Amino acid sequence: MDTLVSLSKRRGFIFQSSEIYGGTGSCWDYGPLGVELKQNIKRIWWRDYIQQRPDMVGLDASILMHPTVWKASGHVDNFTDPMVDCLECRRRFRADKVDETPWVHYCAATKGNKFTIPAGEPCSHCGERRTLCPDCGKGSLTAPRQFNLMFKTFMGPVEEDASLTYLRPETAQGIFVNFDNVAQSMRRKLPFGIGQIGKAFRNEITPGNFIFRTREFEQMEIEYFVNPRDTVEGKPADEYWHERWIADSLAWFQRYGLREENLRLREHEKDELAHYAKRTADVEYHFPIGWSELMGIANRTDFDLKQHAQFSGKALTYFDEERKEHVVPYVIEPSAGVDRALLAFLADAYQEEEVRGEKRVVLRFHPELAPVKVAVLPLLKKRDDGVRTAHAIRDTLAKHWTVVYDDTAAIGRLYRRQDEVGTPYCVTVDVQTVGDSDKGESADGKVTIRDRDSMEQARVPIDTLPAVFLDLLSGGSWSAVAPRFR
Ligand code: GAP
């Protein structure tokens, strides 16, 4: 994780928020390359799930909602974590996670020497287990108290209870309260889904592990509405679609580069199910911190629509033409975190290898995810015609993709820089491209494309570059495209 944090800062992916003021707890800013990567994740998700599927539509609901939304959804009463406080240093921990952190121990058996002991283990000298604060090793912990994770705020100029509302802790509720608006305006028949990407806020007690758990994050959520009276392939429709969405979600992450061996499914035990869920399966990823949740796929039944109908007094039903009756749809909810997806893609792409005796760091991003698609590098930065040609190539390609020009180092170093940020292709402009009149050599109008993963090169006419990159960046492999130019 430290390697990823340091690469992210050094190469403009992710910076700590308000760093010059000492940083804000668990908030991060996406730098020039990070924002490209994040946008690419959101763009392919939107394209694959909203644009391309006939049974899906999109939504962008507001972050601030009517406060009753959160009463109806159960968040005011149930969206809590048990927390304990240290009476000495005042640090706060999640009661259910306090044994998952290494703990500080002043060992009586070694005359009070201070040790940091791995999470959950006893002291190897005195055999004692943790009872005090894991952080300072001195204070007792309070009994667990429930702590609501929603951020409170006030709407309007007066800070009073009547104007109290919350920053949304999930994007999902914006979809539920718009169910009828969308179904009516878009004349939707079940089953259909509504997808949304947006910010969510949780006042996590123990945020951390870089962008894995933060207090402000982004979600990509789908609420997929099905008729609970229907059966599909012999199964109740909600159970059939739940299975389908689990399989689709796993396949999606693999399609964009996460290795199969780094992904697994984990079923929630009955006692850990959220208050609204009939069944939830998490897609877990083997993060640098160990196996942890990447996304959840829950069967929320008709809980939310019924709650909002009850609290708002508005019917949130669907008229089943076949059975001539109103039903409250069931909901399958594939819910992924954008930031967690980004961390997983970054971790999976990161590789160190040795090339001709030197260490090469390379981010093997899927081309659709790579923040920069092509880097144009002039070999002769003192030749005006070479530099002009390189700029012209960048300008042409930049109409379609994120393309950079760089002439600030020698070519070997420029390649390493692009490898380290995951740029799939570099284009070099050399003396043959522009010719050398002093030596009587004419320009050949070709440039060299270098492939990040194989480091192979191919010489390609300049005027074919847009077509070649269209092929390479939309699914064509280097091994299929490069031989055309040998
Ligand atoms: N609407 C359902 C819902 O919000 P969740 O499991 O609490 O379910 C869904 O959140 C996803 O949002 C998680 O799988 C994770 O990817 C992301 N997420 C949740 N809390 C997060 C946090 N504090 N920081 C970063 N991502 C978070």
Side-chain angles (χ1 to χ4, degrees):
M1 190 69 105
D2 288 346
T3 310
L4 294 181
V5 175
S6 122
L7 176 112
S8 294
K9 177 165 182 198
R10 197 161 28 87
R11 301 312 316 273
F13 282 90
I14 302 168
F15 311 122
Q16 203 188 4
S17 163
S18 317
E19 194 182 358
I20 59 167
Y21 288 100
T24 327
S26 90
C27 293
W28 299 89
D29 295 342
Y30 287 86
L33 295 192
V35 67
E36 292 288 339
L37 176 58
K38 200 177 188 206
Q39 304 256 34
N40 290 342
I41 294 171
K42 294 192 279 185
R43 190 177 46 78
I44 56 175
W45 185 92
W46 193 266
R47 181 193 64 198
D48 296 351
Y49 288 121
I50 313 295
Q51 273 173 258
Q52 290 190 351
R53 289 181 61 132
D55 54 348
M56 293 286 305
V57 288
L59 183 77
D60 183 12
S62 64
I63 289 173
L64 297 173
M65 301 178 74
H66 194 288
T68 314
V69 167
W70 306 110
K71 193 84 196 130
S73 67
H75 283 83
V76 171
D77 296 326
N78 297 316
F79 197 57
T80 55
D81 272 342
M83 53 135 212
V84 290
D85 290 304
C86 171
L87 294 173
E88 185 79 23
C89 70
R90 305 273 159 210
R91 280 251 0 226
R92 186 164 272 192
F93 306 90
R94 262 176 68 169
D96 54 340
K97 300 275 181 209
V98 72
D99 278 327
E100 290 175 19
T101 47
W103 57 289
V104 169
H105 174 54
Y106 291 90
C107 179
T110 61
K111 296 201 183 121
N113 280 339
K114 183 179 172 188
F115 301 108
T116 299
I117 298 174
E121 289 183 17
C123 171
S124 57
H125 304 281
C126 67
E128 219 176 82
R129 289 192 170 270
R130 188 203 61 76
T131 51
L132 302 173
C133 169
D135 218 42
C136 71
K138 291 181 176 158
S140 307
L141 297 177
T142 60
R145 280 179 293 156
Q146 290 302 327
F147 172 77
N148 197 295
L149 300 185
M150 282 194 294
F151 277 100
K152 288 181 181 154
T153 188
F154 297 93
M155 283 242 213
V158 190
E159 289 195 13
E160 58 183 20
D161 282 356
S163 58
L164 172 73
T165 189
Y166 303 93
L167 300 188
R168 67 180 177 200
E170 61 172 12
T171 62
Q173 298 303 324
I175 299 181
F176 295 127
V177 299
N178 277 297
F179 167 74
D180 204 44
N181 284 337
V182 174
Q184 296 303 330
S185 60
M186 306 306 287
R187 295 182 304 282
R188 286 284 139 174
K189 298 253 173 290
L190 293 180
F192 76 93
I194 305 176
Q196 166 162 236
I197 301 178
K199 290 264 184 175
F201 304 83
R202 296 183 189 177
N203 200 2
E204 300 279 3
I205 301 169
T206 43
N209 290 319
F210 195 27
I211 53 170
F212 180 81
R213 192 182 304 284
T214 52
R215 295 194 169 112
E216 173 182 341
F217 55 97
E218 244 177 316
Q219 290 186 312
M220 309 183 277
E221 294 202 295
I222 292 169
E223 307 302 327
Y224 196 77
F225 300 95
V226 306
N227 189 336
R229 311 253 162 97
D230 286 349
T231 50
V232 189
E233 294 178 6
K235 285 189 187 150
D238 61 316
E239 292 177 14
Y240 169 84
W241 280 107
H242 199 178
E243 290 295 344
R244 275 282 295 269
W245 276 108
I246 291 171
D248 273 16
S249 303
L250 275 170
W252 191 82
F253 280 111
Q254 278 181 44
R255 191 177 338 144
Y256 294 107
L258 296 193
R259 276 165 279 184
E260 197 179 353
E261 65 268 26
N262 286 336
L263 286 165
R264 73 179 187 194
L265 265 190
R266 189 183 73 81
E267 288 286 338
H268 280 211
E269 303 290 340
K270 286 274 172 278
D271 61 356
E272 66 169 315
L273 283 176
H275 58 277
Y276 48 72
K278 166 174 161 184
R279 177 192 165 200
T280 299
D282 284 346
V283 172
E284 291 194 332
Y285 178 74
H286 198 206
F287 285 100
I289 50 168
W291 286 99
S292 305
E293 176 186 341
L294 172 58
M295 72 174 292
I297 305 135
N299 181 345
R300 292 180 81 126
T301 67
D302 52 9
F303 175 85
D304 301 272
L305 291 180
K306 275 190 169 156
Q307 288 290 108
H308 287 304
Q310 189 194 326
F311 278 73
S312 67
K314 304 271 180 338
L316 295 175
T317 54
Y318 170 84
F319 188 67
D320 182 339
E321 297 281 355
E322 215 176 287
R323 299 180 181 91
K324 302 284 178 237
E325 61 186 8
H326 288 275
V327 289
V328 182
Y330 266 39
V331 177
I332 305 303
E333 180 193 62
S335 169
V338 179
D339 313 78
R340 252 180 228 186
L342 189 147
L343 182 58
F345 284 125
L346 189 64
D348 222 294
Y350 184 90
Q351 275 174 11
E352 289 177 8
E353 53 192 36
E354 206 180 289
V355 177
R356 288 184 287 278
E358 271 187 43
K359 181 169 121 178
R360 173 170 103 122
V361 170
V362 54
L363 289 177
R364 291 186 192 273
F365 283 132
H366 185 285
E368 295 234 48
L369 290 178
V372 175
K373 310 295 183 206
V374 181
V376 185
L377 317 169
L379 274 190
L380 315 154
K381 65 177 173 188
K382 295 210 175 90
R383 283 272 307 261
D384 284 352
D385 47 358
V387 169
R388 261 198 320 275
T389 304
H391 277 298
I393 293 171
R394 193 218 75 97
D395 293 347
T396 304
L397 299 179
K399 290 183 185 136
H400 310 278
W401 303 284
T402 307
V403 182
V404 297
Y405 168 94
D406 192 1
D407 66 4
T408 57
I411 189 67
R413 188 139 178 194
L414 293 178
Y415 280 151
R416 294 287 171 271
R417 263 188 213 163
Q418 295 304 326
D419 289 343
E420 209 184 14
V421 298
T423 306
Y425 302 104
C426 291
V427 166
T428 47
V429 175
D430 57 25
V431 70
Q432 285 107 301
T433 314
V434 286
D436 189 340
S437 50
D438 292 348
K439 292 189 185 154
E441 290 166 6
S442 55
D444 73 357
K446 292 181 177 176
V447 288
T448 303
I449 301 180
R450 181 243 196 200
D451 172 50
R452 174 196 70 200
D453 294 342
S454 63
M455 293 185 284
E456 286 173 8
Q457 305 193 345
R459 210 152 162 83
V460 175
I462 292 174
D463 56 3
T464 65
L465 284 174
V468 169
F469 283 122
L470 185 64
D471 202 350
L472 285 171
L473 295 169
S474 54
S477 70
W478 173 258
S479 54
V481 174
R484 297 212 302 259
F485 300 99
R486 290 212 181 100

